[in-house]
Amino acid sequence: APAAEICACLNKLLLLQAHQRREAKRQKRKLLDTDLPYLWILVPTASPRLLTSCRAESQAGWPKGVYFLPPVLRTAIVVIHQLPTHPDTLWLRLLGRGTVQKTAIAELMALANHPLQRQALAALVQLQITLQRRHNLNRVEQEIAMNLSPVYEQWLEETLEQGRQEGRQEAQRVDLEALLTAKFDRLDQALVSIIPQLMAMSPSDRARLILQSSRQDLLDRFQGE
C-alpha cells in the first residue's frame, strides 16, 4: 500500500538521522537540523486522501506535484503525474507511468545536444534489455516495456548504422563488447572467446543474434566451431 511504503521510507530516514546524531554526540560536534538528510519520496500517482493523511501540502515557489510534510520530518512527496510538462521536470517524468512516461521518453528522444541525453537513453535501453530477459512481467512492467520500445529501436538502428559507417575493426569490437555487456550484465572470459567469430559476421546480423539469444545459445553456437 502507498501509505505503508511512505512510512517505510520515513522509518529509514529517521534511523539515519538518529545514527548521525549519535555520531555527532560521540565526536562532540554540533549537528544542525539543516545538516540532516532530506527525504524526497517519488511516487507515480497519489490520491488527495493519501496526501491529506500525510499532512503533505504544496508550497509557494514549487511546481504542482511537489508536497511537503511537516518541517520536523524533512520530507517531501513528488507526485510525478502531476508535474508540469517542462524540461526541468523531464528527468522525473521518465520515472512515471503510462502516458506520462511515454510523453517524457518522446521529449528525451527529441532533445538536441543535451549532455545527459545519451546517458539517459543508455539507461533506458539497459532497462528494456533487462525486461526482455525476464518472464511473466506484471502489468506495470509490460507497460514500461512498451513505452521503452521506441528508445530501444532507435538505439539498435543507431548502433547498426554506426557499425556500417565506421567499418573499423577496433571500433566494431568496442561496440560489440558494449552490446554483450548490456545484454549479459558482464563480459566474462567465455564471451570474450567467441568475439572473433562474432566479428566475422555483419554488424546487423551479430547485433540481432546477440539480442535474440541467451548466453548459453551463443556459446553453444560458436564454441564448437
Side-chain angles (χ1 to χ4, degrees), residues 63 83-94 103-104 106-108 110-112 114 116-117 120:
L83 293 173
T85 303
H86 187 276
D88 289 344
T89 67
L90 171 60
W91 314 103
L92 290 174
R93 288 184 288 113
L94 287 170
T103 300
E107 292 175 38
L108 176 65
L111 285 178
H114 193 286
L116 297 179
Q117 184 197 41

Side-chain angles (χ1 to χ4, degrees), residues 44-184:
T45 62
S47 67
R49 180 178 179 180
L50 176 63
L51 295 173
T52 299
S53 69
C54 294
R55 301 296 188 268
E57 300 178 351
S58 58
Q59 286 188 7
W62 288 87
K64 182 180 179 181
V66 181
Y67 300 91
F68 293 86
L69 274 62
V72 69
L73 294 177
R74 294 184 60 76
T75 297
I77 298 175
V78 180
V79 184
I80 295 175
H81 88 282
Q82 293 184 11
L83 293 173
T85 303
H86 187 276
D88 289 344
T89 67
L90 171 60
W91 314 103
L92 290 174
R93 288 184 288 113
L94 287 170
L95 303 175
R97 292 179 183 168
T99 303
V100 172
Q101 185 185 59
K102 188 175 182 180
T103 300
I105 288 173
E107 292 175 38
L108 176 65
M109 295 173 67
L111 285 178
N113 301 320
H114 193 286
L116 297 179
Q117 184 197 41
R118 294 204 64 82
Q119 292 93 320
L121 288 174
L124 293 177
V125 167
Q126 177 64 56
L127 175 58
Q128 175 72 324
I129 291 173
T130 299
L131 291 174
Q132 286 181 339
R133 292 164 53 191
R134 293 176 56 185
H135 301 288
N136 301 321
L137 299 179
N138 61 36
R139 182 183 60 81
V140 172
E141 292 169 333
Q142 291 174 357
E143 184 179 81
I144 293 173
M146 290 182 61
N147 288 342
L148 292 176
S149 292
V151 179
Y152 177 77
E153 292 297 329
Q154 176 179 301
W155 172 81
L156 177 59
E157 182 57 34
E158 288 178 352
T159 299
L160 299 180
E161 182 62 26
Q162 183 179 7
R164 287 192 291 266
Q165 290 178 353
E166 291 179 345
R168 291 182 284 117
Q169 287 294 104
E170 185 58 31
Q172 289 190 37
R173 184 182 179 94
V174 170
D175 289 341
L176 175 56
E177 291 176 349
L179 181 57
L180 287 169
T181 302
K183 178 67 187 291
F184 302 114

Side-chain angles (χ1 to χ4, degrees), residues 16-57:
L16 176 59
Q17 290 180 350
H19 172 73
Q20 291 181 325
R21 289 191 174 99
R22 288 194 300 270
E23 285 297 301
K25 183 177 181 180
R26 183 178 64 83
Q27 298 171 9
K28 296 181 180 180
R29 59 181 174 84
K30 187 175 182 180
L31 183 68
L32 302 176
D33 286 344
T34 53
D35 295 328
L36 296 170
Y38 203 99
L39 174 64
W40 295 86
I41 301 176
L42 308 180
V43 295
T45 62
S47 67
R49 180 178 179 180
L50 176 63
L51 295 173
T52 299
S53 69
C54 294
R55 301 296 188 268
E57 300 178 351

